[in-house]
Amino acid sequence: MSTTMPSPRETVTPPPSDGAGRTYTVRTLGCQMNVHDSEHMAGMLEQAGYTRASAADEAASNADVVVINTCAVRENAATRLYGNLGQLAGLKAERPGMQIAVGGCLAQKDRGEIVDKAPWVDVVFGTHNLDALPVLLERARHNAAAQVEIAESLQVFPSTLPTRRESVYAGWVSISVGCNNTCTFCIVPHLRGKERDRRPGEVLAEVQALVDAGAVEVTLLGQNVNSYGVEFGDRGAFAKLLRACGNIEGLERVRFTSPHPAAFTDDVIEAMAETPNVMPQLHMPLQSGSDRVLRAMRRSYRSTKFLGILDRVRAAMPDAAITTDIIVGFPGETEEDFAETLRVVEESRFSSAFMFQYSPRPGTPAAEMDDQLPKEVVQERFDRLLALQERISAEESARQTGRTLEVLVSEGSGKKDGATHRLSGRAPDNRLVHLAVPAGVLPEGGLADQPASLDDPRLVDVADLDPALPRPGDMVTVEVTRAAPHHLIADSALDGGTYTVRRTRSGDAWVQRESARLGGGHDDHSHGGGGEPGAPVTLGMPTLRR
């Protein structure tokens, strides 16, 4: 095993022919930031000549290169990684020349330990040097030895790297990387580093490039979006960025994640409420409702401030859907502390919540705290919190019944029940909506998740397209007819009720991509990066228009 630690000034530029004729697949474990990092990994591999494995080959791990992008936030992260690696070991033994690469947060944390435990791994690279992946793969092939390269600081800002976008209608845009907070339970700052902000012009240029390629929705990403701008001296930069997104023609939906309650300011609420394309959706991590536990977590807000933020958001945007993160069983949490969490959750009326049982992460202060709680206590509290939030989610969803919503149709055929073959999409507040189309519009048996041939009725010219048949990326206006805790049902089309399809540039872009994939035309939305015809959008470094 060789270990290389490049200097901060070193820039790795992969030769374009390294992966010629070789296929790849990327498996993503973890958060939205990891999903976006995986798009960068795919973009770099395609720039280096690799092509993405077919869907069937991906499912069977039948690719020349398998990249696993790891998470380290939860205790089961290592279990998931080594489970994946164990499954790949036998496949690699049967396929000479196959390579396995491990990147992401767990790779940054465990480094060479991964190769020690799984010696069939060829490449380990960290969160700070995504750009090194193609070169490390080629070096491992040439040297017939594992390559472990972990940089201690950011080498190249990820958003300047080639990107293979999975969707033509929605995309992620990083506004910052890293985090300056010191939450005692979190290992992210150690693995992602201190916060680094992109200049607003660079962010807006990337958003514009996505819109030019057909996207109608963009999600702005950062570990703490509210602190955006501190690095370049503008504490109001995030609110200004949201307003600037409102001036981008063709951009219909703007979302962001994640904010921090301690830094969340009223100018952001005002920007959300006053910018028409910023969606009425907010993910606001609570973590605990107990002020004592929040203090032990080093979360620099208290429950009263948290609830006040939610009140002001709802006063400005009455239809806003608010989601959250909650940790159950933090060291020293008493029954009284947990009761406070239940109280705040009841008052907050979250549409949904990501709830986790506390797991100690080596290297964090919380892992060394006394009063680690027994598993059975944590489980019992978690079950109570889950039951409470399920009830609230069901009640909040039920309030949507009868509302008319414009749904952005997504890829995949949605909730099938043999009668309606519903399609799926997202409402403005990001709720999942399963919608029926009028009788007789869909072919018998419904639509495949992905077109299998050019005969798919969605791939015809717009002039010949059934006006009631939406494509992924199109907008459909429907009425919600019933609700479940985690999705809405809109069957209004079945009895002649509200149902209108609005064609979008994204729907056109999806047709061009799928037609090109099936050999029926040129994909005008592929911007460099190689890969098979009709591959998802690949963007290089965005530039400012002059």
Side-chain angles (χ1 to χ4, degrees):
M1 179 182 74
S2 67
T3 303
T4 307
M5 302 295 251
S7 69
R9 295 181 181 178
E10 181 179 353
T11 299
V12 180
T13 303
S17 60
D18 285 350
R22 289 168 59 79
T23 61
Y24 78 90
T25 185
V26 180
R27 297 181 182 179
T28 306
L29 312 177
C31 65
Q32 294 97 329
M33 195 69 75
N34 270 21
V35 173
H36 193 33
D37 282 350
S38 291
E39 291 184 333
H40 293 312
M41 294 173 192
M44 288 183 296
L45 291 172
E46 296 201 356
Q47 186 181 68
Y50 294 81
T51 59
R52 182 172 175 174
S54 67
D57 283 343
E58 283 193 335
S61 301
N62 187 26
D64 297 310
V65 172
V66 177
V67 183
I68 304 176
N69 188 11
T70 63
C71 174
V73 173
R74 302 291 160 204
E75 190 172 20
N76 67 350
T79 301
R80 294 183 68 192
L81 169 63
Y82 290 106
N84 272 268
L85 293 179
Q87 178 259 339
L88 291 172
L91 294 174
K92 184 176 181 182
E94 299 172 358
R95 295 195 60 201
M98 179 182 178
Q99 290 184 290
I100 301 169
V102 178
C105 288
L106 197 64
Q108 185 77 25
K109 172 180 171 290
D110 288 353
R111 307 182 177 221
E113 181 181 330
I114 292 173
V115 175
D116 292 340
K117 292 181 176 179
W120 55 92
V121 170
D122 300 277
V123 169
V124 178
F125 62 107
T127 58
H128 297 314
N129 61 327
L130 301 183
D131 57 307
L133 174 59
V135 166
L136 293 174
L137 287 168
E138 184 63 15
R139 193 183 300 161
R141 289 172 64 194
H142 181 271
N143 296 345
Q147 303 294 304
V148 178
E149 183 168 294
I150 305 294
E152 299 301 329
S153 60
L154 194 65
Q155 305 297 292
V156 177
F157 205 100
S159 291
T160 66
L161 299 172
T163 307
R164 184 188 197 275
R165 304 280 181 175
E166 288 300 313
S167 169
V168 294
Y169 51 84
W172 313 96
V173 174
S174 292
I175 67 172
S176 64
V177 294
C179 183
N180 293 337
N181 293 315
T182 58
C183 302
T184 56
F185 57 81
C186 186
I187 199 170
V188 168
H190 174 66
L191 302 178
R192 293 274 182 179
K194 292 293 185 181
E195 182 174 321
R196 295 275 303 277
D197 294 335
R198 299 174 71 192
R199 300 295 298 191
E202 295 175 358
V203 175
L204 293 171
E206 185 174 355
V207 173
Q208 183 68 62
L210 277 169
V211 172
D212 290 345
V216 293
E217 177 176 302
V218 164
T219 301
L220 304 176
L221 289 178
Q223 299 296 152
N224 178 8
V225 294
N226 298 123
S227 63
Y228 174 72
V230 171
E231 187 180 28
F232 53 81
D234 185 355
R235 292 186 177 274
F238 184 61
K240 294 175 185 176
L241 185 64
L242 290 178
R243 292 183 185 276
C245 286
N247 296 326
I248 296 178
E249 186 176 352
L251 179 59
E252 299 194 29
R253 295 185 172 188
V254 178
R255 308 186 190 279
F256 60 87
T257 194
S258 287
H260 192 295
F264 198 78
T265 50
D266 287 348
D267 63 334
V268 174
I269 299 175
E270 293 165 3
M272 292 176 67
E274 295 169 6
T275 309
N277 64 357
V278 176
M279 294 294 96
Q281 173 218 348
L282 180 65
H283 184 74
M284 182 63 70
L286 170 63
Q287 306 303 1
S288 175
S290 163
D291 290 350
R292 192 186 71 82
V293 172
L294 288 172
R295 191 175 300 111
M297 289 178 167
R298 291 187 198 153
R299 301 283 289 181
S300 47
Y301 57 89
R302 301 297 175 254
S303 60
T304 299
K305 177 173 182 175
F306 184 92
L307 290 168
I309 291 172
L310 270 53
D311 287 343
R312 294 194 297 280
V313 168
R314 288 181 169 132
M317 295 167 285
D319 294 329
I322 301 176
T323 58
T324 196
D325 298 328
I326 304 172
I327 296 173
V328 178
F330 187 80
E333 180 190 76
T334 65
E335 182 60 31
E336 291 74 20
D337 293 324
F338 180 66
E340 281 295 283
T341 294
L342 296 178
R343 176 186 67 82
V344 175
V345 169
E346 183 75 67
E347 292 185 30
S348 297
R349 308 300 296 177
F350 300 117
S351 59
S352 65
F354 296 95
M355 296 168 285
F356 307 95
Q357 297 183 36
Y358 170 76
S359 58
R361 307 310 297 132
T364 63
E368 305 301 322
M369 289 180 177
D370 296 331
D371 299 324
Q372 302 283 331
L373 300 186
K375 168 66 176 175
E376 58 271 19
V377 171
V378 178
Q379 183 68 56
E380 190 273 337
R381 290 177 184 171
F382 179 85
D383 292 342
R384 276 191 281 158
L385 177 62
L386 179 62
L388 171 62
Q389 183 55 51
E390 286 289 292
R391 173 177 64 78
I392 294 171
S393 293
E395 292 169 354
E396 292 301 303
S397 285
R399 294 177 58 220
Q400 305 300 308
T401 303
R403 289 191 64 193
T404 298
L405 303 173
E406 187 170 56
V407 178
L408 173 58
V409 176
S410 60
E411 294 184 270
S413 54
K415 184 179 177 63
K416 302 175 183 177
D417 62 6
T420 64
H421 298 288
R422 296 183 182 97
L423 306 181
S424 297
R426 293 284 173 174
D429 65 6
N430 210 38
R431 282 186 167 91
L432 176 63
V433 181
H434 300 303
L435 61 95
V437 302
V441 171
L442 297 180
E444 186 176 351
L447 293 169
D449 288 355
Q450 187 179 56
S453 75
L454 292 170
D455 293 331
D456 189 291
R458 296 167 292 182
L459 299 184
V460 301
D461 291 338
V462 172
D464 300 322
L465 189 62
D466 186 327
L469 178 61
R471 309 160 301 179
D474 284 340
M475 301 281 189
V476 182
T477 300
V478 288
E479 181 181 322
V480 178
T481 52
R482 58 189 173 91
H486 303 294
H487 66 263
L488 306 175
I489 299 292
D491 282 349
S492 51
L494 297 180
D495 58 6
T498 302
Y499 183 87
T500 306
V501 176
R502 177 166 66 86
R503 304 294 174 203
T504 68
R505 297 174 302 101
S506 290
D508 296 341
W510 180 85
V511 169
Q512 289 182 343
R513 187 194 73 183
E514 290 301 298
S515 295
R517 180 181 63 83
L518 294 167
H522 178 66
D523 181 7
D524 293 331
H525 294 266
S526 180
H527 294 256
E532 74 273 16
V537 181
T538 306
L539 297 175
M541 181 177 179
T543 57
L544 288 173
R545 290 185 168 185
R546 301 190 185 279

